Amino acid sequence: MKTRIKEFRARHDLTQAQLAEQVGVRRETIVFLEKGKYNPSLKLAHDIAVVLDASIDELFIFEDEN
């Protein structure tokens, strides 16, 4: 999975820690998300999208496992 969280976070001038606080997770979770090493729950993906004023489809690019 690839994400554009870092790009959208920069547009909103938010640090990883600030985004994490707003969505109720640890900063490390945001780090893992930005590196594509963690697949978020639908609720977390939604919460991040709301904070970053984006759609889930804009933020997360899900690739086929094949």
Side-chain angles (χ1 to χ4, degrees):
M1 175 188 70
K2 296 180 182 179
T3 74
R4 296 176 63 202
I5 294 172
K6 185 174 183 176
E7 174 188 337
F8 277 80
R9 188 172 52 74
R11 290 182 191 178
H12 291 272
D13 198 29
L14 290 172
T15 66
Q16 290 172 333
Q18 290 169 327
L19 176 58
E21 183 178 331
Q22 289 189 38
V23 298
V25 298
R26 297 180 349 180
R27 185 189 64 82
E28 291 80 6
T29 301
I30 302 300
V31 171
F32 288 137
L33 283 168
E34 288 184 356
K35 291 182 177 183
K37 297 188 182 287
Y38 177 73
N39 287 331
S41 67
L42 184 56
K43 179 178 180 347
L44 178 55
H46 174 267
D47 291 348
I48 291 170
V50 168
V51 170
L52 297 179
D53 193 29
S55 70
I56 292 173
D57 288 343
E58 287 177 300
L59 292 177
F60 299 94
I61 299 101
F62 295 95
E63 301 167 333
D64 285 336
E65 296 286 325
N66 301 333

